[in-house]
Amino acid sequence: MRLKKVNKYLSKAFVALIAGMFLFSACDDDDETTMDPDMPGGMLTVSDQTLSQNKVMISNVNFDQAGWIVVHASTAEGGPVVPDIISEPLLVQPGSKSNLEVMINDFSALEDGAKLWVMLHTDDGIEGEYEFDGASGFDAPITDENGDIVMTDITISAPSITVENQAVSSNTVTISKVNAAVDGWLVIHSGEATGPVLGQTKVIAGTNTDVVVNIGNEVFEGGEMLFPMLHIESPADGEYGFPDNGDAPEVFGEDVVVVGFETLALTGSITAEDQIVQGNTITAANLTVNADAWVVVHASNATNDGPQVPEIISVPVRVPAGSNEDVEIELTEAVAAGDVIYVMLHTDNGVIGEYEFDAGVIFDGPVKTESITVQAPTGSFTANNQTLSADGTITVESITVGQPSWVVVHRDDGTGEGFVAPGIISVPVLLEAGTTTDIEISFEDGEEIEDGERLWVMLHNDNGTVGEYEFDGANGFDSPIVFDFVDITVPATRYEVANNSTTAYLFTGNGLTDSSNPGITLTRGETYTFTINASAHPFYIKTVQGSGTGNAFNDGVTNNGAESGTITFTVPLDAPDTLFYNCQFHGGMTGTFTIVS
């Protein structure tokens, strides 16, 4: 309960008018006063509030006799204007009553932020007729036990809508703020405040921010006026029923709570550089739009002076309003170096989330376009003449590509100056953009490599079906980028070497199968490979038989002393007639190489 002392706000004349004439019994000359024991009493609870339909809501009132609730305007000094009231007087029966409504009927004092006075009055004189006029003595204000008038000042606010001019985005508009006194509806009218309803959404009592309203699939080019209007929810059935079933417009004073705003044309900007297609994907560095939009790619038209429309050569990508960085767009058709293609922004209206532009409908129309030129794929590699590995692979030392690419091997066409195409003899290896080192290339089953054969290593682009090698010389996919040849030495014989504990090496190959420490004949000028799988038993080719690392024979030997990996031995023409193999640690793991011409 909030009680205000009357003389805090009012002049002595008013105190005399109210207190002297109607409220107090005069006492002796020292101005002391006493309460009339027959004076009715009351208590009042009311708070600052946003008004709905020009009604002041009273939280609680408690009369010991029937009495009136009224609302007074505020004077310039901040007290109540009396005896005039600005409301319909509300007669309340004795007892405690909650959630009462007092209707304002004089709107001259209504403004956002205004102070009003809610006051309790008696009901005497003609019962049920509000008669307080400051002179008749009837229906005077009620006072409490301290002689203070039972009244409360409140600050009122107006229901309001705050909105900015905006582009319609995905068939919606956004109302930045709605201050509602009660649960209700935010309704969007077209053309004028009484125009057709395009859409509505529920709002709750209090402050609602960023209220999104779907207004259907009408197309807005910019410049059209829309009018958000606040309605109350009455009856509380969760259905918007105005004008046939309640839900009337909210009012403050004589004014409907409605504002207008202007639609803006969808605008956007595109930042996209000339670039290499990455697989089937190009990238727009930035797309900035003021509403949700589509980005697509168009090919050049027949005269090469603009985009071909309405056809597109990409998968449409939906981008939200705002700034979008590094937007990837997948192409659905192959493009070649030098082709000019067009990155284009389109609206997203009609069926939201479905790209509909086909030049025969008004939806998803073009907004902004930017041309880019497709750059040729790039690549380089380093591959040296080499010996075919024991597992039948060759190695490319380093490959650098500007886009996802394939590395493959073609056979020589027999001239030593060119290659057989489009067929390949290797398993294609897919590389990501950037630099990759030590790339092993294996050969298709049945493809035998001869000693001294020239092979052509070639890089191909990866487009079409990304991740699938498709080059056939005609379809335009996975085209060559760069190539060079390597000459291959094939070892005469290959051996696989394991160990039998610490007692022997086991050889397999060239007619041997797990043969224990065999004697082996090698031919001068030939190359042999030994694939070692003998952990903790380093395999050495030596001039003197015995363990340790001394007397190692390294002429023509690669990776001597390996315990895991491949040792390659190209036998020198001046090699001694006898060499040996030995374990570094175990003297029993040894055998003889007999060298012949």
Side-chain angles (χ1 to χ4, degrees):
M1 179 177 70
R2 299 171 61 190
L3 303 177
K4 301 294 183 182
K5 292 184 181 293
V6 67
N7 59 2
K8 182 178 180 181
Y9 300 98
L10 310 181
S11 67
K12 290 181 178 180
F14 178 72
V15 173
L17 174 65
I18 302 299
M21 294 180 61
F22 308 112
L23 303 179
F24 301 101
S25 298
C27 296
D28 55 18
D29 293 339
D30 62 4
D31 291 333
E32 291 184 359
T33 60
T34 59
M35 286 294 298
D36 182 346
D38 295 327
M39 175 65 71
M43 299 174 65
L44 171 67
T45 302
V46 61
S47 303
D48 296 342
Q49 59 192 268
T50 301
L51 297 193
S52 176
Q53 304 296 89
N54 297 321
K55 297 174 183 177
V56 175
M57 302 299 296
I58 311 299
S59 300
N60 182 264
V61 67
N62 194 328
F63 282 102
D64 57 12
Q65 301 179 28
W68 297 97
I69 306 175
V70 297
V71 179
H72 296 267
S74 185
T75 66
E77 293 78 18
V81 174
V82 290
D84 299 327
I85 62 174
I86 62 171
S87 70
E88 295 285 347
L90 178 64
L91 181 62
V92 180
Q93 297 303 313
S96 178
K97 304 291 189 297
S98 299
N99 300 322
L100 302 178
E101 297 177 348
V102 179
M103 177 69 72
I104 303 297
N105 58 12
D106 179 356
F107 305 139
S108 60
L110 285 191
E111 61 181 26
D112 189 51
K115 182 167 72 172
L116 304 180
W117 290 87
V118 183
M119 188 180 293
L120 303 186
H121 286 248
T122 63
D123 181 28
D124 48 25
I126 300 175
E127 184 178 347
E129 181 178 329
Y130 183 74
E131 302 169 86
F132 179 66
D133 61 6
S136 67
F138 299 128
D139 300 345
I142 293 175
T143 60
D144 63 12
E145 65 274 9
N146 298 316
D148 295 325
I149 294 175
V150 181
M151 61 181 178
T152 299
D153 66 287
I154 62 171
T155 300
I156 63 167
S157 57
S160 62
I161 301 170
T162 303
V163 64
E164 293 77 33
N165 294 340
Q166 62 190 273
V168 176
S169 181
S170 295
N171 294 344
T172 66
V173 292
T174 299
I175 313 305
S176 56
K177 183 178 179 181
V178 178
N179 183 32
V182 296
D183 292 350
W185 298 91
L186 184 64
V187 181
I188 307 298
H189 294 263
S190 174
E192 56 185 355
T194 57
V197 173
L198 299 181
Q200 66 279 325
T201 193
K202 194 77 180 293
V203 292
I204 60 174
T207 300
N208 302 259
T209 58
D210 296 330
V211 180
V212 178
V213 186
N214 190 306
I215 59 174
N217 58 12
E218 184 174 342
V219 174
F220 296 88
E221 296 181 354
E224 301 90 347
M225 292 299 297
L226 299 179
F227 293 86
M229 181 183 293
L230 188 58
H231 288 241
I232 64 172
E233 167 76 340
S234 178
D237 57 4
E239 299 289 336
Y240 178 68
F242 185 78
D244 299 323
N245 185 30
D247 299 341
E250 181 67 276
V251 295
F252 185 74
E254 295 179 339
D255 298 321
V256 173
V257 180
V258 62
V259 295
F261 71 94
E262 183 178 345
T263 64
L264 303 177
L266 193 147
T267 59
S269 63
I270 301 170
T271 302
E273 305 293 336
D274 296 345
Q275 60 192 271
I276 302 169
V277 176
Q278 300 294 308
N280 291 327
T281 301
I282 64 169
T283 300
N286 179 270
L287 300 172
T288 298
V289 285
N290 63 348
D292 297 343
W294 293 104
V295 59
V296 298
V297 177
H298 296 266
S300 290
N301 61 25
T303 55
N304 292 318
D305 59 0
Q308 179 182 354
V309 291
E311 297 84 0
I312 61 175
I313 61 169
S314 71
V315 177
V317 177
R318 194 167 184 268
V319 292
S323 179
N324 301 270
E325 305 292 332
D326 297 327
V327 179
E328 294 185 349
I329 310 167
E330 182 184 352
L331 302 180
T332 55
E333 295 184 16
V335 294
D339 284 353
V340 176
I341 58 179
Y342 292 82
V343 180
M344 187 178 291
L345 292 171
H346 289 247
T347 60
D348 182 19
N349 48 23
V351 180
I352 301 305
E354 179 179 328
Y355 181 75
E356 301 168 271
F357 179 65
D358 64 4
V361 297
I362 60 175
F363 302 130
D364 301 347
V367 176
K368 175 75 174 178
T369 189
E370 186 72 30
S371 65
I372 65 173
T373 300
V374 178
Q375 295 181 332
T378 61
S380 63
F381 65 88
T382 300
N384 300 312
N385 297 338
Q386 59 192 276
T387 299
L388 190 70
S389 71
D391 57 359
T393 63
I394 63 172
T395 299
V396 179
E397 184 177 329
S398 176
I399 299 177
T400 299
V401 286
Q403 64 292 310
S405 301
W406 297 100
V407 56
V408 298
V409 175
H410 295 262
R411 285 203 188 273
D412 189 81
D413 63 5
T415 66
E417 301 294 331
F419 49 83
V420 176
I424 60 175
I425 61 172
S426 67
V427 177
V429 177
L430 183 60
L431 306 170
E432 296 298 324
T435 298
T436 307
T437 59
D438 297 330
I439 302 96
E440 290 190 354
I441 303 175
S442 60
F443 296 93
E444 296 283 5
D445 292 343
E447 298 289 349
E448 295 294 333
I449 309 302
E450 297 181 0
D451 185 53
E453 186 172 1
R454 173 163 290 183
L455 301 178
W456 293 83
V457 178
M458 184 177 293
L459 301 182
H460 289 248
N461 192 16
D462 180 27
N463 55 9
T465 302
V466 174
E468 180 179 330
Y469 182 75
E470 301 169 272
F471 178 66
D472 64 5
N475 61 16
F477 300 135
D478 300 348
S479 298
I481 301 171
V482 66
F483 54 87
D484 202 355
F485 65 84
V486 292
D487 291 329
I488 304 299
T489 299
V490 178
T493 306
R494 304 172 190 171
Y495 294 95
E496 294 180 3
V497 182
N499 66 291
N500 180 10
S501 185
T502 62
T503 62
Y505 284 118
L506 302 177
F507 283 72
T508 297
N510 198 28
L512 303 176
T513 303
D514 289 337
S515 179
S516 180
N517 291 340
I520 296 175
T521 299
L522 305 179
T523 300
R524 293 180 175 88
E526 298 292 339
T527 299
Y528 300 84
T529 61
F530 303 89
T531 302
I532 311 300
N533 184 17
S535 178
H537 303 284
F539 183 98
Y540 276 93
I541 299 173
K542 306 178 69 174
T543 57
V544 176
Q545 195 168 28
S547 59
T549 60
N551 305 307
F553 184 83
N554 292 318
D555 292 347
V557 179
T558 301
N559 209 23
N560 205 4
E563 59 186 81
S564 178
T566 300
I567 297 173
T568 303
F569 184 17
T570 300
V571 182
L573 297 179
D574 60 353
D577 293 339
T578 304
L579 291 170
F580 306 94
Y581 59 87
N582 254 109
C583 174
Q584 177 182 345
F585 304 115
H586 306 101
M589 300 176 68
T590 185
T592 301
F593 288 131
T594 300
I595 311 301
V596 298
S597 296

